[in-house]
Amino acid sequence: MALRKGSTLLLTQGPVIRSFAAVGSKMEGEGPLGPSFDLICEDSAFGQDSWEKAEASMQKKALDLAIQKGGFSPDELDVLFAGDLLNQCISSTYGLRDLNIPFLGVYGACSTMAESLMMASLFVEGGFGELAGAVTSSHFCSAERQFRFPLEYGSQRPPSAQWTATASGAVVVGRQGTGPRVRAVTPGRIRDLGITDANNMGAAMAPAAADTISRFFTDTGYQPEDFDLVVTGDLAHVGSQLLLQLLERDGVRLEGRHRDCGLLLYDRKRQQVDSGGSGCGCSASVLCSSLLPRLLDGSLRNILFVATGALMSPTAVQQGESIPGIAHLLWLSAAPAGKE
């Protein structure tokens, strides 16, 4: 059973990440991590006749690949945690409806990969099943249509804007087996800096990331130097700078250890993605294409994966509401931890 320390849960059983997969499209394939994706589809429509159907198809491809790589069949999964950015999480519900897996929809905006993986890990840790899945996705075109302007509008993008990833990541967590382990989780708290600009999500999410990271170190007694990397997603350039400033104010220094999925997925200068990447699929695909493989081969031993989300609604933003942020943390390890 999990051991509670403050708001952090140390998972004594250490659920195992049995398999994982990342799917992307042309932009992601041209980025630094492109060769590490399991599947890159040059057609961002994924053979579908709408952007929403394209995203649903992409998410199903990611989960199918993760299940196949683990040597499982869909009916072996006891539960599936999934969500996305679109209203009523339609990419997940429509994309996964034919798999016949018990389904629990989650919404954490761009933090959904961390939230779904956290829930899957706790489900397994608690002994409620042998295998649990976690999957999420985002699509540049479907997100632009819902949250900002349809592509046909040709709106200008300010430097603080972020490029929503057309990508998906899927993970299967088990009680037994080999692979990276989930050692601890720290659920996020809603934090609101008062940002009202939907093109400045990095700044909106940074306070939540700082709060969650600070609480983890306070709860556990660990220090940043105990971890190879502290990886946020998706603060991009603007939010990452603010995060380091906020943490330094709290006495936490991450210089040299911090990375952000929004800055890892794309080459900002070459690909013209403004401040960097965003979307549920950004941190999900970076986790499944880069971070988990490095934990699997031992080039990383311990990391903190801290996916961030801007809990915005087009309706609320149009009414002048600010954009609250959330950040969920998972300690992922390649080997048994030396300190609990």
Side-chain angles (χ1 to χ4, degrees), residues 269-282:
K269 293 182 179 179
R270 180 172 56 83
Q271 295 187 279
Q272 298 181 332
V273 292
D274 302 306
S275 184
S278 69
C280 297
C282 183

Side-chain angles (χ1 to χ4, degrees), residues 73-107:
S73 61
D75 58 10
E76 290 184 82
L77 269 65
D78 297 296
V79 68
L80 180 60
F81 297 90
D84 54 84
L85 288 175
L86 302 185
N87 289 339
Q88 288 77 52
C89 293
I90 58 172
S91 298
S92 303
T93 52
Y94 282 79
L96 308 176
R97 58 184 167 179
D98 294 331
L99 292 178
N100 202 36
I101 303 172
F103 176 88
L104 290 171
V106 298
Y107 181 80

Side-chain angles (χ1 to χ4, degrees), residues 256-277:
R257 299 183 187 277
H258 174 250
R259 301 290 186 274
D260 185 77
C261 295
L263 297 174
L264 293 172
L265 185 60
Y266 302 118
D267 184 323
R268 285 181 63 219
K269 293 182 179 179
R270 180 172 56 83
Q271 295 187 279
Q272 298 181 332
V273 292
D274 302 306
S275 184

